[in-house]
Amino acid sequence: MKKYAAVILAMLLYALTAISALAEDAMLEVSIAYRERIALPPDAVVEVELLDVSRMDVAADRLSSQRFRMTSVPFEATLAYDPNLVDERLTYTVAARIYTQGRVMFRTTQAYPVLTRGSGSQVELILQMMPANDAEEDVPSLEGPVWQAFEVDGRAVVADRPPTLKFEKSGQFGLFSGCNNFRGLAEISDGEIGFGDNIAGTLMACPPGPAELERAILNAVSATVRYSLTSSGLTLLDAAGREIMRLQAQPAE
């Protein structure tokens, strides 16, 4: 009996140790700020997310998400996550949005890598202000600016050379996919846009990462039927009204 009791006790201790290890979360230290010198309303809430952005052809995988009452700027937050979900071969980023009165007041518009590929568990986010009323803001023209993609199919773009899109008044456009360059003629009218099938481009072989990004960009362009222009940037939408690519104008040199 003593032998069986010892075995059962050992099994219980092993199970408790395993459960304890599984329950132990790791922590990300996140600093959140913005450049505008304005105070936040008392109801401001910040949502922080840890995202897997390893593949550009599928929706972002959210590993962790938490909301905090934003009481100061900069705001220091600790985001818990399960380290067992992290794969050293993959790429992870942190994104954040500040909400007030049911709308997004500030949000991240670039990728902030963490955890893998040389990135640590501490990150400083600089959020961009979203317009309260686009009718009162300067909305850029579709033609002229070089539009840089920062989000494709809900995923932050992580690339040394981000994709860009540029339109001419004739409807001609130039597209850099992150690897190859493409040109074509778009049909643009009253918020509707079609890139067509006649797109010519270079055929340079791409490494795996840029190749995945290129496929995602070309799929998004192919599915685009409408666009939206605001002071914060250009959004391409599919037939269901889903945002499939978000871009911002590159600063003029």
Side-chain angles (χ1 to χ4, degrees):
M1 290 293 293
K2 290 182 178 180
K3 179 179 179 181
Y4 290 122
V7 171
I8 292 172
L9 179 60
M11 292 176 63
L12 286 173
L13 289 173
Y14 177 81
L16 289 172
T17 302
I19 292 172
S20 176
L22 288 173
E24 186 175 351
D25 284 339
M27 299 293 174
L28 280 174
E29 296 180 15
V30 185
S31 176
I32 302 157
Y34 51 81
R35 293 189 175 91
E36 288 77 4
R37 295 186 177 182
I38 59 173
L40 289 172
D43 69 334
V45 173
V46 60
E47 181 180 51
V48 187
E49 298 176 311
L50 173 61
L51 304 171
D52 177 355
V53 296
S54 303
R55 295 184 57 194
M56 293 304 304
D57 53 349
V58 297
D61 185 11
R62 184 185 295 110
L63 275 67
S64 179
S65 176
Q66 191 171 348
R67 287 194 175 194
F68 306 88
R69 179 72 68 184
M70 190 148 178
T71 55
S72 63
V73 181
F75 180 76
E76 308 297 329
T78 302
L79 181 63
Y81 69 95
D82 184 351
N84 296 306
L85 298 177
V86 176
D87 187 330
E88 290 296 328
R89 299 168 298 178
L90 304 183
T91 302
Y92 303 93
T93 65
V94 173
R97 298 178 180 85
I98 298 175
Y99 293 90
T100 178
Q101 298 180 357
R103 74 174 185 89
V104 177
M105 187 175 182
F106 292 89
R107 67 172 293 164
T108 47
T109 59
Q110 68 180 75
Y112 289 90
V114 290
L115 299 180
T116 60
R117 303 182 184 276
S119 300
S121 59
Q122 297 179 329
V123 62
E124 296 182 0
L125 309 183
I126 301 297
L127 279 59
Q128 300 297 315
M129 189 174 188
M130 300 292 103
N133 185 349
D134 289 314
E136 299 175 358
E137 303 284 344
D138 293 328
V139 178
S141 170
L142 182 66
E143 303 89 3
V146 175
W147 298 102
Q148 179 176 308
F150 64 87
E151 187 177 285
V152 180
D153 202 21
R155 301 175 60 82
V157 172
V158 181
D160 293 332
R161 301 175 63 200
T164 57
L165 183 59
K166 190 176 189 304
F167 295 94
E168 306 294 341
K169 292 188 179 297
S170 62
Q172 289 186 329
F173 66 89
L175 169 66
F176 172 62
S177 69
C179 181
N180 283 290
N181 289 286
F182 299 86
R183 294 198 64 83
L185 182 64
E187 295 184 4
I188 305 170
S189 176
D190 297 327
E192 296 185 352
I193 185 170
F195 288 91
D197 298 324
N198 189 22
I199 301 177
T202 56
L203 299 174
M204 183 174 67
C206 310
E212 281 194 23
L213 177 56
E214 180 172 279
R215 282 194 295 271
I217 292 291
L218 294 178
N219 287 339
V221 166
S222 177
T224 297
V225 298
R226 291 196 296 276
Y227 71 93
S228 172
L229 266 177
T230 69
S231 59
S232 59
L234 168 66
T235 302
L236 304 183
L237 305 102
D238 65 12
R242 187 173 61 94
E243 296 182 354
I244 52 178
M245 191 187 306
R246 301 181 68 235
L247 310 95
Q248 59 189 357
Q250 287 184 346
E253 295 182 357

